[in-house]
Amino acid sequence: MPKPATIVEKAVAKFLRALTQRNASAHTIKAYRTDLEQFAEYVGPQGWGEIDHVLIRGYLAWQYERGLSKTSVARALAALRSLYKWLAQEGEVQQNPAALVATPRLPKKLPRVPTIEEVNTVLDAEMPECSAFESRDRVMLELLYGCGIRNSELIGINLEDIRWLNELILVRGKGRKERYVPFGDSAKAALDAYLPARQRVLAENRRRNEKALLINLRGSRLTTRSVGRIVKRIAVARGLSPDVHPHTLRHAFGAHMLEEGADLRAIQEMLGHERLSTTQRYTQLTVKHVMEVYDKTHPHAKKSSN
């Protein structure tokens, strides 16, 4: 017979349901669930009146002992603060002891790979006012992060390179090597929203024969310099470091896939680090394996499966 849920476990379950009802990011909910369930495990049957800032500091120390990084511990504290804020709104608590605990000082590494949560603050929100072509800019970000492609590969994509049925995009990498990269539901939704706008811009500029997937407002293919400028502007508007550039999102793709348990070989193939002379070297088995790894481990691939 299972033991009854503790006060904290019940509150965590209600909080996660509230987040779901507010249409919070599936990835944020997943991260909060992991962190808060661990907190509930740590405090056991204690009530809110028994949990103070000293106990919370002990919880963070326990996380360090388990081998978590400063970034992960900072995320756990942020989740706890959000829980307490919700509890206060619900009238369950009067004070937020998590607010009395200092956030771990993160090492300043430049350039730093954004966390999954930081990327989500950009991808799951409306495009900021600085975005001149919102639907296109969302596609740009989704493909850079969702496919791990280089800036030069991104601007080289033509509309005919998208294999809608298989959810693959043909990209041309260094040395003109070609490879297929998978794209997930978020990227597909962004593409679906962008393509009618692309058609309107091309019609207005009488450039109906333009092959480029990503175009500027004059109907011409985007340049790598333009992509870099747009990515930086949006990142800064969303509170990310001004050091963010297109290659940062490629690094984030690889780092987050590894974090989520993808195997290194699949990541290398998606990033184009393998010596593949032609697209034909991608056997059907390899593509199938890469797709399975991508769907299971990319943080922004299959939102509906979380």
Side-chain angles (χ1 to χ4, degrees):
M1 184 176 178
K3 60 181 180 180
T6 66
I7 290 171
V8 176
E9 285 173 339
K10 288 177 182 175
V12 167
K14 285 176 67 178
F15 173 57
L16 293 171
R17 282 198 296 273
L19 286 178
T20 303
Q21 288 165 2
R22 293 209 306 257
N23 293 320
S25 158
H27 311 295
T28 298
I29 293 171
K30 179 183 173 184
Y32 275 24
R33 176 176 284 110
T34 299
D35 293 331
L36 295 175
E37 286 179 352
Q38 287 174 357
F39 177 70
E41 177 191 341
Y42 179 81
V43 300
Q46 298 180 86
W48 298 116
E50 301 166 279
I51 299 171
D52 59 10
H53 66 282
V54 176
L55 190 148
I56 291 172
R57 282 200 192 108
Y59 162 66
L60 299 184
W62 176 65
Q63 294 284 44
Y64 283 125
E65 289 169 9
R66 294 174 60 240
L68 267 67
S69 67
K70 282 189 176 182
T71 302
S72 296
V73 173
R75 187 191 72 183
L77 179 59
L80 204 49
R81 286 174 178 163
S82 295
L83 171 65
Y84 265 99
K85 184 177 178 182
W86 177 81
L87 286 168
Q89 291 169 351
E90 295 292 304
E92 296 286 333
V93 298
Q94 300 298 318
Q95 294 179 321
N96 183 352
L100 300 175
V101 180
T103 300
R105 184 171 291 180
L106 301 176
K108 291 186 178 179
K109 296 179 182 176
L110 297 175
R112 185 177 70 83
V113 175
T115 64
I116 293 172
E117 289 71 30
E118 287 173 331
V119 175
N120 284 337
T121 63
V122 178
L123 296 181
D124 291 343
E126 296 293 324
M127 284 291 108
E129 290 182 4
C130 63
S131 172
F133 195 161
E134 294 181 12
S135 60
R136 178 207 61 194
D137 294 349
R138 183 171 294 282
V139 168
M140 183 190 309
L141 294 169
E142 287 283 357
L143 294 184
L144 285 169
Y145 176 64
C147 302
I149 55 179
R150 300 176 178 94
N151 190 344
S152 58
E153 294 170 345
L154 175 74
I155 65 160
I157 297 172
N158 295 326
L159 197 57
E160 63 189 21
D161 296 330
I162 303 175
R163 308 293 187 261
W164 296 98
L165 194 60
N166 299 318
E167 296 187 344
L168 294 167
I169 299 177
L170 177 66
V171 298
R172 296 160 187 86
K174 291 183 177 179
R176 296 186 179 178
K177 294 191 179 80
E178 295 180 336
R179 70 185 188 281
Y180 282 114
V181 295
F183 63 94
D185 290 349
S186 293
K188 184 177 185 300
L191 284 163
D192 287 341
Y194 163 64
L195 291 179
R198 175 184 177 275
Q199 283 300 106
R200 285 195 296 272
V201 171
L202 292 178
E204 288 166 5
N205 289 277
R206 298 179 182 177
R207 294 183 62 93
R208 294 180 186 274
N209 294 325
E210 177 59 61
K211 294 181 178 180
L213 171 66
L214 296 176
I215 58 171
N216 58 30
L217 291 171
R218 297 185 302 279
S220 303
R221 187 184 295 270
L222 275 184
T223 64
T224 54
R225 183 173 292 182
S226 293
V227 171
R229 187 171 60 249
I230 294 164
V231 168
K232 185 183 290 288
R233 194 183 300 149
I234 292 172
V236 170
R238 284 283 170 254
L240 270 64
S241 164
D243 296 296
V244 170
H245 48 82
H247 214 71
T248 309
L249 296 176
R250 178 170 158 86
H251 286 316
F253 167 92
H256 296 169
M257 291 279 282
L258 275 176
E259 266 181 47
E260 296 293 306
D263 70 78
L264 194 57
R265 178 166 176 78
I267 294 171
Q268 286 178 324
E269 293 197 14
M270 282 183 262
L271 289 173
H273 289 164
E274 292 288 318
R275 288 187 171 275
L276 301 175
S277 57
T278 62
T279 308
Q280 283 70 35
R281 294 283 296 278
Y282 262 91
T283 65
Q284 202 59 40
L285 180 64
T286 303
V287 171
K288 183 182 177 186
H289 173 64
V290 166
M291 289 290 285
E292 287 172 353
V293 171
Y294 181 85
D295 286 348
K296 287 178 184 175
T297 57
H298 193 282
H300 230 245
K302 300 285 181 186
K303 299 184 100 174
S304 58
S305 67
N306 288 308

